[in-house]
């Protein structure tokens, strides 16, 4: 009888151990699958900065920058996703020899997109989202002289808005983990109050990598 009980106990222990192993493997596979649904990426590139609206005749684009850290989370198996982004960027313009730039931090609480496969490891990525930004410093330079946007606004007897918010709309191309992204950024808040509705208008060309 003792031998029978010992054999039964050994079998139960073996079955329990195997169940734990299967459960652990299932948890690992599930965790890996969940992790694969979120993709982090880095993007950086140039920003063709300008303004839009009435009363800006004579302004030209100035060259700025944008560097972004973000992630995309799959919404299903068809390539749809939503994402969030954090960035350091710029906005500005140029008038004759005067170059104007403001440096800012940006936050995009959501971006919706759809990666459409067109060939092996190649997909097109149209996307649409919103952003908010805050200018932490600014500069206007001409003939060696430099002033801030705030000084310029004071001279015009208007106010300078450090905050902006608006829309990002663009399209990218992915090759495996590598990305070329073209995005137009339009602000909805006046850069200078009481100055005929002048808004931010940026066109960004960035290269990226997912990890």
């Amino acid at each position: 009888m003792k031998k029978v009980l010992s054999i039964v106990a050994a079998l139960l222990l073996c079955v329990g151990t195997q169940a734990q192993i299967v459960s652990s493997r299932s948890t690992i596979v599930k965790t890996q699958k969940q992790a694969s649904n979120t993709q982090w990426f880095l993007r950086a590139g140039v920003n063709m900065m300008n303004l839009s609206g009435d009363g800006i005749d004579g302004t030209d684009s100035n060259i700025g920058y944008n560097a972004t850290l973000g992630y995309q989370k799959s919404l299903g198996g068809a390539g749809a996703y939503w994402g969030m982004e954090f960035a350091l960027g710029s906005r500005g313009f140029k008038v004759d020899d005067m170059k104007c730039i403001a440096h800012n931090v940006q936050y995009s609480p959501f971006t919706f997109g759809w990666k459409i496969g067109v060939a092996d490891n190649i997909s097109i990525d149209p996307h649409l989202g919103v952003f908010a930004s805050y200018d932490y410093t600014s500069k206007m330079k001409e003939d060696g002289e430099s002033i801030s946007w705030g000084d310029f606004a004071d001279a015009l007897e208007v106010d300078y808005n450090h905050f902006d918010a608006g829309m990002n709309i663009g399209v990218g191309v992915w090759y495996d983990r590598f990305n070329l992204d073209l995005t137009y950024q339009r602000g909805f808040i006046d850069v200078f109050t009481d100055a005929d509705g002048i808004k931010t208008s940026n066109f960004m060309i960035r290269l990226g990598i997912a990890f």
Side-chain angles (χ1 to χ4, degrees):
M1 189 64 180
K2 289 182 179 180
K3 290 184 178 180
V4 173
L5 291 175
S6 298
I7 293 173
V8 171
L11 288 174
L12 289 174
L13 179 61
C14 182
V15 171
T17 302
Q18 291 296 322
Q20 287 180 348
I21 293 173
V22 171
S23 177
S24 298
R25 288 177 178 175
S26 177
T27 301
I28 292 171
V29 171
K30 184 178 180 180
T31 301
Q32 290 176 339
K33 186 176 180 180
Q34 288 175 345
S36 67
N37 288 335
T38 301
Q39 184 180 64
W40 287 85
F41 64 87
L42 286 169
R43 285 194 187 117
V46 297
N47 176 17
M48 305 303 294
M49 313 177 299
N50 209 332
L51 302 176
S52 63
D54 299 330
I56 61 164
D57 295 337
T59 64
D60 295 315
S61 295
N62 194 10
I63 297 177
Y65 64 93
N66 183 276
T68 299
L69 169 66
Y71 68 83
Q72 298 171 347
K73 189 172 183 63
S74 175
L75 293 176
Y81 68 86
W82 78 273
M84 186 178 295
E85 300 177 5
F86 306 88
L88 294 175
S90 60
R91 59 174 176 165
F93 59 98
K94 182 170 67 172
V95 178
D96 297 327
D97 293 330
M98 182 173 68
K99 295 182 178 181
C100 311
I101 186 171
H103 306 276
N104 55 43
V105 291
Q106 299 182 15
Y107 170 56
S108 176
F110 64 83
T111 295
F112 292 101
W114 183 25
K115 291 182 179 178
I116 306 168
V118 294
D120 290 343
N121 295 325
I122 299 176
S123 59
I124 305 298
D125 177 18
H127 50 81
L128 175 69
V130 299
F131 78 94
S133 69
Y134 176 77
D135 299 340
Y136 57 87
T137 187
S138 62
K139 180 172 67 175
M140 308 181 77
K141 189 171 184 179
E142 182 180 22
D143 298 329
E145 297 294 329
S146 181
I147 63 172
S148 69
W149 286 28
D151 294 335
F152 177 72
D154 290 341
L156 295 179
E157 297 184 348
V158 296
D159 293 324
Y160 159 49
N161 284 325
H162 291 261
F163 290 97
D164 196 12
M167 175 185 69
N168 290 327
I169 181 170
V171 62
V173 178
W174 285 89
Y175 174 69
D176 194 16
R177 297 186 300 117
F178 303 98
N179 172 238
L180 169 65
D181 187 80
L182 310 175
T183 294
Y184 175 66
Q185 187 176 74
R186 171 61 186 263
F188 293 158
I189 298 176
D190 291 343
V191 178
F192 303 102
T193 59
D194 304 320
D196 300 323
I198 298 174
K199 316 288 187 182
T200 298
S201 178
N202 296 328
F203 181 68
M204 299 179 290
I205 305 172
R206 300 171 294 175
L207 295 176
I209 184 170
F211 56 93

